[in-house]
Amino acid sequence: MENVTLNNGVIMPKLGLGTFKAEDGESCYNATLEALKIGYRLIDTAMGYGNEESIGRAIKDSGVKREEIFITTKLYPKQIGYKSAKINLEQSLERLQTTYVDLYLIHWPSNNYLVNLHTWQAFEELYKEGKVRAIGVSNFQIHHLNNLLSSCIIKPMVNQVELHPYLSQEPLARFLALEDICLESYGPFAKGMVFTDQTLIDMAKKYHKSVSNIVVRWGLERNIIMIPKSVTKERIKSNFEVFDFTLTKEDMKILDELNLGKRLYTDPDNNPFAKEEYEI
Ligand SMILES: NC(=O)c1ccc[n+]([C@@H]2O[C@H](COP(=O)([O-])OP(=O)(O)OC[C@H]3O[C@@H](n4cnc5c(N)ncnc54)[C@H](OP(=O)(O)O)[C@@H]3O)[C@@H](O)[C@H]2O)c1
């Protein structure tokens, strides 16, 4: 397993299991249990995925010590705000059957910077209280971050954004590197587009690996945290088989050149979850 060290010294695995659309109940429970059996130690969930309970149950039943598992969860976008951040974290902890999470993220920014800042102040307090080992954001663009960084006391440790070969997020990656904020990818398989891409298929053949392995390896080599989602036993296993090879510089360049600046998920600057009205 490869890790990154966050700007507060906390160590986070670079590869984890994504769980968006992993249905609460047996599907998500079995996927989490299987992943932990294989060696995954990072599980990415969110209040909005509605599956924290299954994940909590799988972690309890896995026999893996809690402190060996890195759990990320996120504040429900429509609940962004100072008070609700605190209430929502307590509810997530209860569903996850744990006393702390390893990383708590603001799931989506508000277009109202003040809402982001007040929410962040609650995150800073939760961090100081030890209820979260690290705090971060998701779907934040450079302008959201610039604003937050100008007023926060504790810098975010992670920013989780859409990132795949067709949206390589180079400018954001450079910005985050300068600020010592780790970049985490979501949607690495570009809604399935990668699996029919001839460049990726050819490269997978060359390395005797799968397309998914090539995409995940490309991210890891850019020092990006990768969280491919699957509820399929064989895929959970094969997606993890990325620690026995590396990509050459030339092949990294070929993959970098697939970038189209193409967003396939919701645009963070124009998202339906942005809450702008807010009572302190
Ligand atoms: N912060 C945010 O706003 C945000 C937004 C989206 C996602 N995320 C996080 O990022 C994670 C990953 O993103 P995502 O779930 O949207 O997309 P993804 O991981 O790129 O793709 C998941 C899809 O690919 C399939 N798949 C997985 N491995 C495969 C393989 N080896 N071969 C063929 N198909 C494969 C899965 O099918 P099966 O499950 O049926 O096997 C599923 O349909 C999420 O689960 C979530 O934790 C965060």
Side-chain angles (χ1 to χ4, degrees):
M1 174 62 80
E2 295 171 22
N3 299 303
V4 285
T5 303
L6 305 180
N7 65 27
N8 64 341
V10 164
I11 293 173
M12 177 171 182
K14 265 171 89 175
L15 177 61
L17 180 74
T19 66
F20 178 43
K21 294 190 178 162
E23 220 175 287
D24 200 33
E26 288 318 285
S27 177
C28 185
Y29 173 84
N30 289 333
T32 308
L33 206 56
E34 188 60 26
L36 292 171
K37 204 166 101 190
I38 288 163
Y40 286 76
R41 288 295 178 267
L42 161 63
I43 309 290
D44 184 87
T45 183
M47 181 192 176
Y49 302 169
N51 56 19
E52 289 173 317
E53 243 169 55
S54 304
I55 290 170
R57 204 156 48 83
I59 288 174
K60 268 266 145 69
D61 293 349
S62 69
V64 182
K65 285 188 194 135
R66 169 66 188 92
E67 58 271 26
E68 287 175 17
I69 302 173
F70 193 105
I71 307 175
T72 301
T73 194
K74 315 182 191 84
L75 172 62
Y76 193 55
K78 287 188 178 147
Q79 303 275 326
I80 191 168
Y82 176 87
K83 277 189 205 148
S84 44
K86 294 197 166 185
I87 296 167
N88 275 263
L89 178 71
E90 289 302 331
Q91 293 170 347
S92 286
L93 293 179
E94 204 169 302
R95 284 188 292 268
L96 287 161
Q97 299 188 50
T98 183
T99 53
Y100 68 93
V101 289
D102 298 275
L103 177 63
Y104 196 37
L105 302 177
I106 299 183
H107 203 150
W108 285 88
S110 168
N111 293 333
N112 178 340
Y113 292 144
L114 206 57
V115 177
N116 296 333
L117 178 62
H118 285 151
T119 308
W120 190 252
Q121 285 166 344
F123 272 50
E124 291 177 333
E125 288 172 20
L126 291 168
Y127 176 70
K128 285 183 196 150
E129 288 161 20
K131 292 192 169 162
V132 296
R133 293 178 67 227
I135 46 179
V137 294
S138 177
N139 295 299
F140 272 50
Q141 304 302 290
I142 291 174
H143 67 92
H144 298 115
L145 284 162
N146 265 330
N147 191 275
L148 187 63
L149 290 170
S150 68
S151 311
C152 67
I153 298 168
I154 302 170
K155 257 190 189 189
M157 285 122 209
V158 172
N159 186 17
Q160 184 186 110
V161 297
E162 177 182 347
L163 193 154
H164 43 71
Y166 313 115
L167 183 65
S168 61
Q169 298 273 21
E170 270 304 333
L172 182 63
R174 278 194 296 275
F175 176 92
L176 294 174
L178 286 174
E179 293 292 345
D180 198 13
I181 298 170
C182 272
L183 177 54
E184 182 170 22
S185 145
Y186 74 68
F189 302 144
K191 302 222 160 156
M193 271 173 69
V194 296
F195 298 116
T196 54
D197 185 306
Q198 201 53 50
T199 305
L200 289 167
I201 293 170
D202 291 345
M203 204 175 284
K205 272 195 198 130
K206 176 178 156 185
Y207 285 90
H208 305 288
K209 284 284 171 185
S210 67
V211 165
S212 111
N213 293 154
I214 299 291
V215 171
V216 170
R217 194 66 238 172
W218 167 74
L220 297 179
E221 288 189 22
R222 289 181 61 205
N223 215 27
I224 294 167
I225 303 155
M226 304 297 284
I227 45 167
K229 174 262 178 184
S230 180
V231 290
T232 314
K233 206 171 166 180
E234 301 71 42
R235 290 173 176 173
I236 295 170
K237 182 169 182 293
S238 72
N239 290 348
F240 199 70
E241 291 166 355
V242 291
F243 300 114
D244 56 355
F245 78 111
T246 53
L247 296 164
T248 64
K249 255 192 188 163
E250 294 72 31
D251 287 335
M252 283 297 289
K253 190 163 176 280
I254 291 170
L255 296 175
D256 289 343
E257 283 169 359
L258 292 177
N259 182 41
L260 300 167
K262 191 177 174 70
R263 201 177 276 289
L264 302 169
Y265 290 72
T266 304
D267 178 355
D269 280 323
N270 193 15
N271 79 76
F273 319 119
K275 181 174 157 186
E276 292 169 33
E277 300 302 316
Y278 176 64
E279 264 177 58
I280 295 172

